[in-house]
Amino acid sequence: MASILTIIISSVFVNNFVMSQFMGICPFLGVSKKLDSAVGMGLAVTFVMTVASAFSNLAYTLILVPLEKEYLYTIVFILVIASLVQFVEMVIQKISPALYSSLGVYLPLITTNCAVLGVAVLNMQSGYNLVESIINGFAGGLGFMMGIVLFAGIRERTAHNRILSCFEGFPIALISAGLMAIAFLGFQGLV
């Protein structure tokens, strides 16, 4: 139980994919203008990370290792992730067309989100079993969601503030993201 708690705390706070490892920056910066779309993207990434962790672990341990083709893990993981993102895209389009249109091009970009591939590779390199992989994927997704939702809240608040014209828009967003990353450095000694 202690190792599972360590995995959760590490994935959400200490080794947060966005704030500490700087993975998944494209959807983080692109979808964080509105809180609603940030929550939707966070949920989609959390789902894809969790399920991709499970299927990647199964593909690695049940197919690649017995066939002694472990070197193909990157290709297999990308195929698993691409299939899952297509599934998520179809589900969101049917369930919530408004969310689908607000996520726009960033929804299919989950396929190329290096945080999703990163969690699958990290699970394999750490030697996690299926349960630990699923927990790490879910916690990594929660960390991504926490980061993007906090950042969306900051961006919504700064949109209504008076800012020097040279800092308006993307520059203040990068400064805010940098300050958030510095704040997450405070968790480094936790685990």
Side-chain angles (χ1 to χ4, degrees):
M1 183 65 181
S3 68
I4 291 176
L5 188 60
T6 303
I7 290 171
I8 293 170
I9 291 172
S10 176
S11 294
V12 173
F13 297 109
V14 179
N15 296 318
N16 187 298
F17 284 103
V18 177
M19 295 296 145
S20 298
Q21 298 180 12
F22 308 112
M23 293 184 186
I25 297 296
C26 180
F28 177 75
L29 292 172
V31 184
S32 59
K33 292 179 184 173
K34 299 276 186 206
L35 196 57
D36 296 340
S37 58
V39 170
M41 177 59 84
L43 290 172
V45 168
T46 301
F47 176 77
V48 170
M49 273 189 173
T50 305
V51 178
S53 294
F55 284 127
S56 297
N57 182 285
L58 291 172
Y60 185 77
T61 57
L62 299 178
I63 299 171
L64 295 179
V65 171
L67 294 175
E68 297 178 0
K69 303 291 184 193
E70 294 93 345
Y71 60 90
L72 295 174
Y73 72 88
T74 304
I75 296 168
V76 171
F77 291 175
I78 289 172
L79 289 173
V80 167
I81 292 166
S83 302
L84 288 170
V85 170
Q86 289 299 313
F87 174 72
V88 168
E89 188 174 2
M90 290 186 299
V91 169
I92 290 177
Q93 188 176 15
K94 293 289 183 190
I95 293 175
S96 178
L99 177 62
Y100 178 78
S101 64
S102 73
L103 293 177
V105 71
Y106 294 101
L107 186 58
L109 283 179
I110 294 174
T111 304
T112 60
N113 186 344
C114 57
V116 179
L117 180 59
V119 75
V121 172
L122 181 69
N123 291 337
M124 182 222 23
Q125 289 176 343
S126 299
Y128 289 159
N129 61 29
L130 180 62
V131 173
E132 291 170 334
S133 294
I134 292 170
I135 289 171
N136 188 42
F138 182 71
L142 286 180
F144 179 87
M145 187 165 136
M146 180 182 63
I148 197 169
V149 167
L150 288 172
F151 190 56
I154 291 171
R155 286 187 79 176
E156 281 187 354
R157 296 193 112 212
T158 58
H160 301 296
N161 293 338
R162 289 185 45 187
I163 302 171
L164 291 173
S165 61
C166 61
F167 290 118
E168 287 180 359
F170 203 62
I172 195 68
L174 290 176
I175 292 169
S176 300
L179 291 173
M180 281 183 63
I182 290 170
F184 271 78
L185 283 175
F187 294 117
Q188 288 300 314
L190 194 59
V191 176

